[in-house]
Structures are given as structure tokens and as C-alpha cells.
Amino acid sequence: AYGLVLIFETWVTRQKNPGLFHSKNLQIIYLLLQSAIVIGLLAVSSLEDFFALLFIPLSLDAVSFFGRRLGYITIAVFSLTMIGIFLFSDEGQLFGLAMGGLYSGMCFLFGGYAYQVLKAETAHEQNQRMFNELQTAHRQLQGYADQVASLAVEHERNRLARDLHDSVTQTVFSMSLTAQSARLLLDKRSSSV
């Protein structure tokens, strides 16, 4: 039963559009059902130390589902349950306390691992978002740079056109004055001859 519920939960979380299956209520029901199965196995079996290992995937899920604070609280409840069951085992209270502490530590260790994975995924998503924003900003800046370059080329063309216009105008004006002066001189010489 534990394996079937675990496989079902794994299949549901890998769906592209989980919809209803990704709600907090279903996650709580999943953890409660799996915890009840493990507690039942611990209570009726003489293999307490084996079945206590089943709390480890539940610890990973608790932190993954609820975050660090509520996940660790859930792991603490798992730990208290394990210690309580181990204290009443056939091996004695000292064994129960030692095994409960060991398995509790493992559950917190794996819960910490799940939290680090969550932090890494969050950081990766944030980095991806920032990368996308930087790419957008880069494209905008590239567009602005292209506009500035186009405006600079147009400004230079206008300046050259003004310079050419002014220089051509001055040359034409100078040639006109020279031609008028030459005409006046020719007219003066023709009238004096």
C-alpha cells in the first residue's frame, strides 16, 4: 500500500498540469495516509528498524510540500511517533531511544537536503528570470544603439550637406563675383578702346 501511494504521488507530481492533484489538501492527505501506513507497519511488525526508514521519503516530501518550517514540524511529529513506538519495542527503552534518535536524525538530514534542493530550484528559477530580463534589456539596448548609430549617420550627412552647400555656395558666389568683375573690366576696356 505504501509503495502504491508513493508511486501515485510521484506520477501526479510529474504531470505537466497537475490541477487538483497539486493542492495542499491532497499533499496533506498523502502525508497522513503514508504516515498511517508506516505507523501501522511499525506497530504490528517486529522489524521496527526497517519500517522506520519509510519516514525518510515522507520527510523529503514534507519539506518539499510545506517548506522548511512546517516541513521540520512535520518531521518532528514523525520523530516523536518513531521514538514513542521504539520505546515500547521488545528491545527495550534504551534501544528505542537510540533508534528513535538515529532515525529522527536521518529524517531531519533528508529534510535539510530537500530544503537545499528547494533553495537551489528557487535560485535557478530566479537566475533564469533575471537572464531573460537581461536578454530583453540587451535587445532593447541594441535597438537603442542602432537608433543612435542611424541618427549619428544622418547627423553627419546633414553636416556634410551643409558644409558642401556652404562651400559650393561660396564657390559659386566667388565665381559669380569674379565673372561680374571680369565683365566690368571687359566693359571698361571696351568703352575705353
Side-chain angles (χ1 to χ4, degrees):
Y2 180 91
L4 289 175
V5 174
L6 182 64
I7 289 170
F8 176 74
E9 185 272 336
T10 304
W11 176 76
V12 166
T13 55
R14 291 179 189 238
Q15 296 301 309
K16 298 266 187 217
N17 187 9
L20 172 69
F21 292 117
H22 209 314
S23 69
K24 290 288 184 196
N25 291 336
L26 189 62
Q27 294 169 344
I28 292 169
I29 291 169
Y30 164 75
L31 284 176
L32 288 173
L33 181 62
Q34 288 293 66
S35 299
I37 292 171
V38 173
I39 290 168
L41 288 171
L42 286 172
V44 298
S45 175
S46 61
L47 302 172
E48 297 99 357
D49 54 340
F50 174 74
F51 289 120
L53 290 172
L54 297 177
F55 274 118
I56 292 175
L58 296 179
S59 299
L60 287 166
D61 287 337
V63 174
S64 296
F65 292 163
F66 307 127
R68 184 175 68 171
R69 182 170 294 155
L70 191 55
Y72 283 167
I73 290 170
T74 306
I75 293 172
V77 171
F78 292 162
S79 298
L80 291 174
T81 304
M82 277 190 292
I83 291 171
I85 291 173
F86 280 136
L87 284 176
F88 295 107
S89 73
D90 295 337
E91 302 294 325
Q93 290 183 347
L94 185 60
F95 171 80
L97 194 58
M99 293 305 285
L102 174 70
Y103 287 115
S104 296
M106 288 172 52
C107 287
F108 277 104
L109 177 71
F110 279 91
Y113 171 74
Y115 177 67
Q116 293 303 319
V117 168
L118 284 177
K119 278 179 40 178
E121 287 174 355
T122 303
H124 177 71
E125 290 170 2
Q126 183 180 10
N127 287 343
Q128 189 63 39
R129 250 188 336 273
M130 289 175 63
F131 178 72
N132 292 339
E133 290 173 7
L134 283 173
Q135 280 185 326
T136 302
H138 175 71
R139 283 191 293 272
Q140 288 176 343
L141 287 174
Q142 189 65 39
Y144 295 149
D146 292 344
Q147 287 177 352
V148 167
S150 296
L151 289 173
V153 166
E154 190 173 330
H155 178 71
E156 185 63 19
R157 280 185 194 145
N158 290 338
R159 187 190 65 77
L160 285 173
R162 274 193 314 275
D163 289 350
L164 285 173
H165 179 266
D166 291 348
S167 128
V168 168
T169 303
Q170 287 175 357
T171 303
V172 169
F173 182 71
S174 170
M175 289 171 60
S176 173
L177 283 178
T178 305
Q180 286 178 358
S181 296
R183 184 185 255 168
L184 286 174
L185 283 174
L186 280 175
D187 286 343
K188 218 179 206 190
R189 275 196 189 172
S190 344
S191 48
S192 58
V193 182

